[in-house]
Amino acid sequence: MTTPADLQEIARDVRPTGRAAEQRARQGLEDLLLPVGATGSLHRLAVWWAGVRRDAEAAAPTAVTALVLAGDHGIAVRGVSASPLGHTAVTTRTLREGTSATHAVAAGLGVAVRTELADVAGPAGPRAQPFDVGDALDEALLAESVARGVALADELADEGLDLLVLGELNVGGSTTAAAVVGAAQRRRVLEVVGRGSGVDDTAWMRKAAAVREGLRRARTRPRDVPSILAAVGSADVATATALLLRCAARGLPVVLDGPVTTAAAVLAHRVSPTSRQWWLFAERGDEPAVHLVQDALGMQPVHDLGTRTGLAVPGLLALGTLRAAVALATGSATRATYWPTDRTEPDPSDQTEPGEPAGTGEPAGTGEPDADLGPRP
């Protein structure tokens, strides 16, 4: 059985990101020859990247992999999704053949695509069980899933990646995410249940009923992460939880995309609060459970485009914005070069004509003022 001590060991080497590099990046952004506040949220992204790289002049990420974690959920047998259980297996084929939406976006960004199968349903359904009547994961599946996440993180880190984009492919994922977030944050059913894959009212009621029963069971159990995973989790949530912890311990930053990765984030954060410094949320989305986690962790997503494609597509879009933010911060003209503050030659605008009363000339510094050029994260 995976225990809290096991997860703590996975996260043992998690360290904060580079605060000194972040401060230097802020100072650099303040010196850009741009109007006040012009960089907007790009400021925050550039500072985050400087911190995870521990280098204010770090180049934008180029060694990037998009990992799609494919796994179905036991609760899907309750009819809580607009997609049938076979959807994951069919879409996985497009990932293997290179014809997926992930490949279409990744190709233009020079990003490698990888797929990992966590618990894809066969004719008998997934190994995970419906959590409204019993535990979702048995000891063997939980331990196997956690071990998979650690091995994946180590393998990816050993490849020398700059950044990992973590996406998901599943049926029933938003229902499990709602239950996990509800159990972790002590939330009510209506606070966490959304429309997921676009279910109608009847399916939404089935979904809410299943989450209600799952939360009722989970609240009789300890609130540690392994207990929550066993009660209302899934193989892919357990894998992603371990992967996020291990990536943070290995210094590999991760872009998160989707309800399953968000549910994993809330659990990984319970094990190691510092691990959140290594993550970036790609998309606001429309799932209330995702909003609750982002708000609770104080993490503003890169975009609010309304995308819910999964398959790491929102994460890849966020990568493009991150690259632009870093390029802007490290390659733009600076005020120190074009508007020096310690001019050795007197500025004619500072001088008064003979016989002219002092102070009637045009005041110095009527160009761009020395002010903060962007909000500090």
Side-chain angles (χ1 to χ4, degrees):
M1 176 68 174
T2 298
T3 67
D6 296 331
L7 294 176
Q8 289 288 351
E9 179 61 23
I10 293 169
R12 177 174 53 86
D13 295 325
V14 174
R15 298 291 182 269
T17 53
R19 294 309 191 208
E22 291 175 0
Q23 182 57 33
R24 289 193 296 272
R26 289 190 188 97
Q27 292 169 352
L29 286 158
E30 290 165 6
D31 193 41
L32 294 182
L33 192 59
L34 291 171
V36 174
T39 55
S41 292
L42 298 180
H43 182 115
R44 171 177 54 86
L45 297 179
V47 170
W48 177 78
W49 183 247
V52 298
R53 299 299 287 179
R54 303 188 188 278
D55 181 1
E57 300 297 326
T62 55
V64 182
T65 289
L67 173 65
V68 179
L69 194 58
D72 290 315
H73 297 245
I75 199 64
V77 301
R78 299 293 188 239
V80 297
S81 176
S83 303
L85 271 172
H87 171 78
T88 303
V90 171
T91 308
T92 299
R93 179 181 173 185
T94 70
L95 288 163
R96 289 196 304 265
E97 295 175 352
T99 59
S100 68
T102 314
H103 287 84
V105 178
L109 296 168
V111 172
V113 177
R114 174 169 175 172
T115 308
E116 182 70 23
L117 306 184
D119 185 15
V120 176
R127 292 170 61 188
Q129 299 300 303
F131 57 65
D132 57 340
V133 294
D135 278 359
L137 303 180
D138 60 25
E139 293 185 11
L141 183 54
L142 176 56
E144 174 189 315
S145 301
V146 168
R148 179 189 298 110
V150 173
L152 268 173
D154 283 337
E155 184 177 342
L156 293 164
D158 289 343
E159 291 176 4
L161 293 184
D162 296 335
L163 183 73
L164 175 65
V165 176
L166 180 60
E168 60 188 59
L169 168 63
N170 54 69
V171 177
S174 67
T175 306
T176 295
V180 168
V181 173
Q185 295 189 350
R186 294 296 197 195
R187 298 286 184 173
R188 297 188 299 272
V189 172
L190 295 182
E191 293 181 284
V192 293
V193 176
R195 294 283 177 172
S197 54
V199 295
D200 60 20
D201 289 347
T202 301
W204 184 90
M205 287 188 286
R206 289 195 295 265
K207 184 175 183 176
V211 172
R212 181 185 65 242
E213 291 305 306
L215 292 181
R216 182 185 60 77
R217 292 182 50 262
R219 285 167 184 159
T220 66
R221 307 275 294 274
R223 292 186 65 196
D224 62 80
V225 172
S227 294
I228 293 173
L229 282 169
V232 294
S234 60
D236 54 353
V237 172
T239 296
T241 301
L243 179 133
L244 289 177
L245 288 170
R246 189 60 175 169
C247 281
R250 294 293 304 270
L252 176 58
V254 183
V255 177
L256 303 175
D257 164 22
V260 162
T261 62
T262 301
V266 77
L267 296 180
H269 181 261
R270 288 174 70 87
V271 177
S272 171
T274 304
S275 60
R276 64 175 287 280
Q277 297 177 20
W278 295 92
W279 311 330
L280 195 66
F281 279 101
E283 170 67 59
R284 180 68 171 169
D286 56 6
E287 280 299 298
V290 172
H291 299 169
L292 288 170
V293 174
Q294 292 174 350
D295 295 344
L297 298 186
M299 298 177 68
Q300 181 181 347
V302 178
H303 293 145
D304 188 1
L305 301 176
T307 56
R308 48 185 176 87
T309 58
L311 291 168
V313 170
L316 289 168
L317 298 177
L319 168 63
T321 302
L322 174 62
R323 284 175 170 172
V326 175
L328 178 70
T330 59
S332 298
T334 63
R335 181 187 313 208
T337 300
Y338 289 92
W339 195 264
T341 58
D342 56 346
R343 292 187 290 266
T344 56
E345 296 295 328
D347 188 332
S349 66
D350 291 336
Q351 310 303 309
T352 58
E353 295 295 330
E356 182 182 7
T360 59
E362 184 180 357
T366 55
E368 195 168 341
D370 284 333
D372 189 351
L373 296 184
R376 297 179 185 232

